[in-house]
Amino acid sequence: MATDERQSSTGIGIEASVRRFFEKYGLGFVMVASYFGSGSVFIASSAGVRYGYALLWAAVGAVLFGFMAQDMSARLGIFGESLMVFTRRKLGRAGATAVALLLSVGCVAWCLELTAAVGKGVAVLSGGAVGWQPIALLTGLAAIVTGVQSYDRIERVMTVTMFGLLAAYLAVAGASAPAPAAVVAGLVPSIPAPGALTLVAAIIGTTALWPNFFLESILVEEKGWTDAAAIPTMRRDLGLGYLVGGLTTVAIIVSTAAVLRPMGITSLETFITPGRALAQVLGGWALVLFLVGALAAAFNSIVPIMWTPAYMIPQALGHDVTPDDRRFKLLYVALVAVGSLSPLVHAVFGLSVVEMIILFPAYNGVVGLPITALLLFWAVNDDETMGEHDNGLALNAVNVSLVLLAIFLAASSAGDVFGAILSGNF
């Protein structure tokens, strides 16, 4: 009897602790899960194999950059309104709808890339026993079933997954025996070669993910963060989430720099390549852990990215939606269903999985990031919207940097990205 009572008391205590944690944390992990997909794994791995530890500082800087951008989005939602509601008020229904539809194309492109990435990863893990195409379709179905669950349940799943990814990649990084002095040196900003600057921009561009600028401004209400008293809690949540995401990125750079670069590998064909190379040195467990982590990261990204157009389009049309609304769920299901057709894109355009992984996020950098960065800058500096809570000098410096980065990425790569997508020749 006493033992049963102690076990019951322990269970109640754990449940209460979990509940208290998610009263204060969780949304930051949803934002990090959104950006930390197969593209992030590929870019971090590329940084390690091409430049060793030299770009670790960029991962740290990207975390700070992403944190401050999300802080602006959250304050917009707390003190003003969501970013798409602001857009509709300023541009009108027709203008906001055009923006929402244009940006939604980018979200569907991301979904195509992510379902293909999961499919390819499972095909590799199975030793080719199954093709990636049916797995991609099943991934979309799983994302549909997951995404229509309650927000609180999904928030918990994504938080646990991000902690799991951190543990997995830290285990691989620890086993790779990195050089401590080189790791510390990599935290000092430097550009080891001219091409490294583009990779720095890619690291920052994938961390400051444009769908999150819309999503955070909407979901603060789900957390009950609606006034100035919520700002410290919101910032602690973002800080913890981006700390976990940043450490995971650092662990990937460290492990690939310590193992792949000494093997003479200086470029990657796909996000799967590092896992195969790690297995040669550390054993098969490293391949499984690396690939399972990459697959979990890719799947984790689908839901929040595809939530974004399911919110944006109704808001642009003047409808206020919540995750429980039928309109929201139907739109989410329809868009994810389209985003599951990566096998069809492969057949029609001739794009491989690797090309989709690279080109579709690049499309979003060319189209989505400049538009959203400009809208966010406008919103957080609009006195009518923010009142006395508009941006200060430091945050405006970050926002201007984000806008300039977005314009730079778009101007330097637009022709190549669109040409490669339409020609199927990357």
Side-chain angles (χ1 to χ4, degrees), residues 262-346:
M263 293 172 64
I265 299 174
T266 56
S267 62
L268 300 177
E269 296 178 359
T270 170
F271 72 95
I272 296 168
T273 304
R276 287 174 168 162
L278 287 168
Q280 295 179 30
V281 177
L282 303 178
W285 68 270
L287 168 63
V288 173
L289 211 54
F290 195 95
L291 274 188
V292 168
L295 298 183
F299 182 79
N300 227 23
S301 295
I302 295 173
V303 173
I305 284 177
M306 297 310 293
W307 272 350
T308 304
Y311 278 113
M312 283 195 308
I313 294 173
Q315 287 183 343
L317 294 170
H319 304 293
D320 187 20
V321 293
T322 69
D324 297 323
D325 286 349
R326 185 168 178 267
R327 182 184 289 112
F328 172 87
K329 290 184 176 181
L330 287 174
L331 193 52
Y332 172 82
V333 169
L335 290 171
V336 175
V338 175
S340 304
L341 300 177
S342 47
L344 182 62
V345 171
H346 168 68

Side-chain angles (χ1 to χ4, degrees), residues 115-365:
T115 55
V118 174
K120 185 66 173 180
V122 172
V124 170
L125 284 173
S126 70
V130 294
W132 70 266
Q133 292 92 336
I135 302 300
L137 295 173
L138 290 174
T139 300
L141 179 61
I144 287 173
V145 173
T146 303
V148 297
Q149 304 298 314
S150 69
Y151 170 78
D152 290 342
R153 183 177 300 173
I154 295 173
E155 181 185 76
R156 295 187 180 202
V157 169
M158 290 187 176
T159 301
V160 171
T161 302
M162 286 309 306
F163 276 117
L165 289 173
L166 174 62
Y169 286 121
L170 282 178
V172 175
S176 67
V183 171
V184 173
L187 297 174
V188 179
S190 66
I191 302 296
L197 189 60
T198 301
L199 202 50
V200 169
I203 292 171
I204 296 173
T206 55
T207 306
L209 196 76
W210 72 256
N212 287 354
F213 301 163
F214 287 96
L215 207 54
E216 177 104 15
S217 67
I218 295 167
L219 293 179
V220 286
E221 189 173 349
E222 290 290 327
K223 299 295 289 184
W225 298 340
T226 56
D227 55 36
I231 295 296
T233 301
M234 176 272 291
R235 286 176 172 162
R236 284 194 298 269
D237 171 58
L238 277 178
L240 181 59
Y242 273 81
L243 175 63
V244 169
L247 287 174
T248 308
T249 302
V250 166
I252 294 172
I253 295 175
V254 166
S255 58
T256 53
V259 177
L260 275 66
R261 191 169 171 81
M263 293 172 64
I265 299 174
T266 56
S267 62
L268 300 177
E269 296 178 359
T270 170
F271 72 95
I272 296 168
T273 304
R276 287 174 168 162
L278 287 168
Q280 295 179 30
V281 177
L282 303 178
W285 68 270
L287 168 63
V288 173
L289 211 54
F290 195 95
L291 274 188
V292 168
L295 298 183
F299 182 79
N300 227 23
S301 295
I302 295 173
V303 173
I305 284 177
M306 297 310 293
W307 272 350
T308 304
Y311 278 113
M312 283 195 308
I313 294 173
Q315 287 183 343
L317 294 170
H319 304 293
D320 187 20
V321 293
T322 69
D324 297 323
D325 286 349
R326 185 168 178 267
R327 182 184 289 112
F328 172 87
K329 290 184 176 181
L330 287 174
L331 193 52
Y332 172 82
V333 169
L335 290 171
V336 175
V338 175
S340 304
L341 300 177
S342 47
L344 182 62
V345 171
H346 168 68
V348 173
F349 291 95
L351 293 173
S352 69
V353 173
V354 174
E355 287 168 337
M356 283 189 263
I357 289 173
I358 296 171
L359 290 174
F360 289 163
Y363 167 87
N364 277 284

